[in-house]
Structure formats: C-alpha cells, structure tokens
Amino acid sequence: MKTVLSLISAIIRTDSYKFSQWVQYPAGTEYVSSYIESRGGEDESVFFGLQAFMKDYLTTPITMKDVDRAEKIVTAHGLPFNREGWEIIVNEYNGMLPVEIEAVPEGTVMPTHNVQVQVVNTDPRLWWLTSYLETALLRGVWYPSTVATKSRKMKKLIKAALEKTSDVPVDAQINFKLHDFGARGASSTETAILGGMAHLVNFMGTDTAEALVGVMEYYNTDEVVGFSIPASEHSTITSWGRENEVKAFENMIDQFAGEGKLYACVSDSFDIYKACSELWGTALKDKIINSGGTLVVRPDSGDPTIVPIEVLEILLEKFGYTVNSKGFKVLPSYIRVIQGDGISEKSLPIILENIISAGISVENIAFGMGGGLLQAWNRDTLKYAMKASALKGPDGVWRGFSKDPISDRGKKSKEGRLALVKEHGLGNAPYIRTVPEDYIAEFGATNLLRPVFKNGMILIEDTFAAIRERAKEGV
C-alpha cells in the first residue's frame, strides 16, 4: 500500500494560491529569479538541509499520472490548473523540474539578512515555476537551518562556561555536552531526521536514531556520526517497586559498568535527593567506585535551573572532589550528571550561571534537549523568507523589483539577481555580504553561491564532515 506522502508530487507540494499565479506576471515574462534569506532573529545563521531536500523532492520525476491527479484535485479545489505547463515538464524534461539552484555551502555560518539560496527557471515558457517552488523549498531549508543555528548557539554558551571552569581542553568534551533527546517530541519522522541531522552538525551526542540514517543517505557516508550510551527510563526503575529502587540502581551498575564505559540512570522516580545521598552516595558508593566506568545521574523533574545544582552539591559532598586550577570543584571521574528536563535556550544560560556561581565546574554535567531542540521553532524564529527579486523578458535584461511595506520595514526584500561575497573590513576582519550579481565580474570577486542543481541533476554534494568543519567557524 502506498503512503499518502508517496502520492504528493511536486505539483501539489505548494500553497493553493500558487495554482493561479502563472497568469499573474507581466506579459512577456520569461524568467523569474527568487532568493531565500534569514531576515533576523539571530545575528548569524547556519545554512543546512538543502541537499536532503534535493535528494528527496527534486530527483523524483513527475508523471502524467501525477498531472492527472493534480488537475482533478486543483480544479475541484476551486482553482485553475496549468496543465500545459506541467505537460511540458513531463514530455520535454522527463518529469524533472527545469530550474537552476545556487546556494551557499552547507554548514556556512553567516550573518542573517543575506542571500543563502537563489533559484531561476531555465525554460522561458515556465517563468511561473520559480515562485511555485517557494513552499516546498523554503520548508526544506528554514527548519534544519534554524535547528543548526540554535544548536550552535547552545554550543557557544557551553563552550564559554567550560573555558571558564574546566582545565580539560574544551575540544575533548564539548561534542557530547548537549545530547539530542528530541525524537519523541518531533512532529514527524521527517522532522526528527532533519532536526536530528542539524544538531549533529554541531554535536555528536544523540538519541534520535533516525537522524543517523539521514546523514548516511543524504550526505554519502558509511559512518555513524552520532553516539549514545545505555540509559534507564522511569519504567525500568519503577517496575522494581519503590522499596527496591536501590536494587534497580544496582542492576544498572551490574549490567553496564566497566572500564571506559558510561551509563546513565534516571534517579528522580521517587526522591532525587535521597537517591543521590542515601542510594548512590552511600549504599552503592563503593560499588560505583570499584566497578569502573562512569555513572551519569539524571534528575528529570523540578526546576531545571535549581535541581541539577542541588544534585551536584550532594554528589560532591558524598563522593568528594578536587579543585582545579581555575578554582572550581570537580567530581571524581566515575560520576557525572546529565540534566535532560526543561532545557531551552532560555534556561540553559541560567543553569550554567548557577553552576558557576556555586563554584562547580561545568565539566561535571551534560545536557539533554528535547522539544526545546527539535520542536520549539517556526519559520519566524529566524524570519526565513523566499522572495522573487528579478524578472527577464525577450530583451534579455534582468529587471529588479522588491517589496517595501511601510507597515514593516523589516520585510523589505532585495532586488535583482544576487551574489554573496566574503570581504575584509576594519582590521582585515572578514565579513559576508550580499551584492548584485554584476559585482562579481566587475570586481573579480568570488561568488559564495554555487550552482548545486539544474534540470533534475544535483551538481555538488557536500560531505557531512565538511559541513561540520564549516560550522565550527567562530565557535
């Protein structure tokens, strides 16, 4: 049985009002150029996800059956249907979309308010196709780029806290300091894959297993690029009964401890403070020390800005600590904490500051982020938009145009065919800016926008390793 998604072709993957727009452009229009940008929300963004979109949605040919189905739906839906245009695509282009897409390399960290993608039709009879793709193409870019941007922001916060409180080199620990707990809170498998991959651009810890397959398939690697550890959930603890919680904890040690091993145990099923003080810190203390490996205690309820600090303080009291060269307390290597409840871009900096204020090194703790990582965002988070900016007629001259609403100057769009360049300003500091396309030839500049797709063919494919390297810039 076919899934509903398999029945939705590129013809239907759009907003309904697009069906009527092929007759709305000026007479004689042959080419329309559009671009995608983040119009704010943060100072910078990480571009990511276009390659996955192209592989999923731009390499599957449209068939005449798709055209027939779409015509039936669209006309019954109350809108005109451009059958002639879609028949050209099926009959003359083997069902592949005659458009060219340029884009900045994935993983690029760049100031917002700059072009990231530029699209133009390649057949003058199909001028309407560029804007028709807005819904699907923008959706394929804004979400993974937003998750990658926010994940990187968390990385910078944690890195700064580690540099302030830890003697251990940051590069040796930062990759596993923010763990993706978001799979169950994602709205769909596709969301989990795209958001999970976006987080893996910046970190290596994840429990969103679907994202591992996504990276392998979309970014051409046989390697698993994300990792996790054995961990309990409340059912595996509470099923032993309240009176046997210590036995459930001991079973975790028996099953997963050992030299070089890490394992996590949720410890708030009944009383997190008793669990840390009397069970882990007293009854099982010697076993934890002698069994090898590292136990990661997980509180999972209460105020996330307070409870993990209280847990750390109990464990410091029970297991002892050293004071590093920066004056912060460090637990023995066999015990750590992970806070996976209530982590968001608002709570994380407060938690970090509270840990630092308590004189505790941030190397003692890691964080798990669920809905706050994969589901907290929308298109307006980074103000993503795709706008048409130029058209060309039989005279072969591009004519720029834009919107400039008096009621919201932040929505002013760019005009003309665009390019993206990296230049050097005061103190030779590099910066990225959007320029007219003619600027490239006039000044001999390098356009950071690369042709990545044309008429059904993917022209450039990035490796995930290369994307990760780009995203490290400035962290």
Side-chain angles (χ1 to χ4, degrees), residues 204-358:
M204 297 176 71
T206 185
D207 262 31
T208 302
E210 295 150 301
L212 305 177
V213 180
V215 170
M216 296 171 84
E217 293 300 316
Y218 293 132
Y219 293 95
N220 307 327
T221 179
D222 293 328
E223 296 182 13
V224 173
V225 301
F227 306 91
S228 189
I229 61 173
S232 66
E233 67 176 26
H234 287 105
S235 72
T236 65
I237 302 301
T238 58
S239 59
W240 291 69
R242 180 188 290 264
E243 68 280 5
N244 291 316
E245 185 179 27
V246 69
K247 293 182 179 179
F249 286 177
E250 186 172 23
N251 181 63
M252 291 295 295
I253 301 172
D254 292 339
Q255 296 294 333
F256 302 114
E259 203 61 39
K261 296 182 179 180
L262 285 85
Y263 56 105
C265 188
V266 65
S267 303
D268 73 324
S269 297
F270 307 109
D271 184 339
I272 182 64
Y273 307 110
K274 178 182 176 182
C276 292
S277 179
E278 298 181 21
L279 304 185
W280 294 126
T282 302
L284 298 173
K285 178 179 178 179
D286 290 341
K287 189 161 190 172
I288 292 168
I289 295 171
N290 296 325
S291 295
T294 301
L295 163 67
V296 183
V297 176
R298 180 161 73 95
D300 196 48
S301 54
D303 187 335
T305 67
I306 297 173
V307 173
I309 293 87
E310 293 175 331
V311 167
L312 283 166
E313 288 175 333
I314 293 171
L315 296 176
L316 288 163
E317 178 187 349
K318 289 296 182 177
F319 289 92
Y321 57 87
T322 57
V323 177
N324 64 24
S325 67
K326 297 176 180 178
F328 291 88
K329 299 172 185 177
V330 181
L331 283 164
S333 61
Y334 48 76
I335 189 155
R336 289 291 184 266
V337 172
I338 185 168
Q339 175 66 29
D341 179 58
I343 302 300
S344 69
E345 67 173 334
K346 291 183 178 180
S347 68
L348 181 59
I350 298 172
I351 299 168
L352 292 170
E353 183 55 41
N354 287 349
I355 293 171
I356 293 170
S357 296

Side-chain angles (χ1 to χ4, degrees), residues 8 54 68 78 80 83 93 130 164 186-187 203 210 240 265 278 317 347 359 363 437 448:
I8 299 176
M54 292 190 299
D68 293 339
R83 186 177 182 93
Y93 292 95
T130 303
K164 186 174 183 177
S187 61
F203 291 93
E210 295 150 301
W240 291 69
C265 188
E278 298 181 21
E317 178 187 349
S347 68
E363 73 186 80
E437 189 177 56
L448 299 182

Side-chain angles (χ1 to χ4, degrees), residues 8-222:
I8 299 176
S9 69
I11 308 175
I12 298 295
R13 198 173 290 114
T14 192
D15 290 304
S16 295
Y17 76 152
K18 297 286 189 184
F19 297 132
S20 67
Q21 291 177 357
W22 92 93
V23 294
Q24 297 180 29
Y25 289 92
T29 300
E30 294 185 345
Y31 298 93
V32 173
S33 181
S34 295
Y35 71 96
I36 292 175
E37 70 171 326
S38 163
R39 298 183 296 194
E42 294 284 352
D43 293 332
E44 61 186 16
S45 63
V46 181
F47 179 66
F48 178 70
L50 179 60
Q51 188 164 303
F53 172 81
M54 292 190 299
K55 287 191 172 185
D56 263 353
Y57 296 120
L58 297 186
T59 59
T60 301
I62 296 165
T63 66
M64 200 58 73
K65 185 176 181 180
D66 292 327
V67 176
D68 293 339
R69 181 187 293 114
E71 182 176 34
K72 179 180 178 181
I73 292 170
V74 172
T75 54
H77 187 44
L79 292 157
F81 183 69
N82 186 5
R83 186 177 182 93
E84 179 182 354
W86 291 109
E87 284 184 343
I88 290 172
I89 292 171
V90 172
N91 294 326
E92 299 184 30
Y93 292 95
N94 297 315
M96 308 308 290
L97 298 180
V99 296
E100 181 177 38
I101 300 174
E102 298 173 295
V104 68
E106 295 198 33
T108 297
V109 181
M110 57 191 291
T112 52
H113 304 282
N114 279 293
V115 57
Q116 295 180 333
V117 180
Q118 187 165 237
V119 190
V120 64
N121 58 294
T122 60
D123 187 316
R125 297 170 295 176
L126 305 174
W127 65 89
W128 49 270
L129 185 57
T130 303
S131 287
Y132 194 95
L133 294 176
E134 176 187 357
T135 308
L137 182 55
L138 184 60
R139 189 166 56 196
V141 168
W142 79 255
Y143 172 69
S145 294
T146 300
V147 175
T149 299
K150 293 295 188 176
S151 171
R152 185 175 178 276
K153 181 181 180 180
M154 304 303 123
K155 187 175 185 178
K156 292 173 74 173
L157 289 171
I158 297 170
K159 180 176 183 288
L162 287 171
E163 288 174 340
K164 186 174 183 177
T165 67
S166 177
D167 285 341
V168 178
V170 172
D171 288 347
Q173 52 180 322
I174 187 65
N175 287 333
F176 293 96
K177 283 299 183 181
L178 186 64
H179 201 88
D180 176 5
F181 281 178
R184 72 185 60 183
S187 61
S188 67
T189 289
E190 186 175 48
T191 303
I193 292 170
L194 293 174
M197 290 192 302
H199 175 69
L200 287 170
V201 168
N202 303 296
F203 291 93
M204 297 176 71
T206 185
D207 262 31
T208 302
E210 295 150 301
L212 305 177
V213 180
V215 170
M216 296 171 84
E217 293 300 316
Y218 293 132
Y219 293 95
N220 307 327
T221 179
D222 293 328

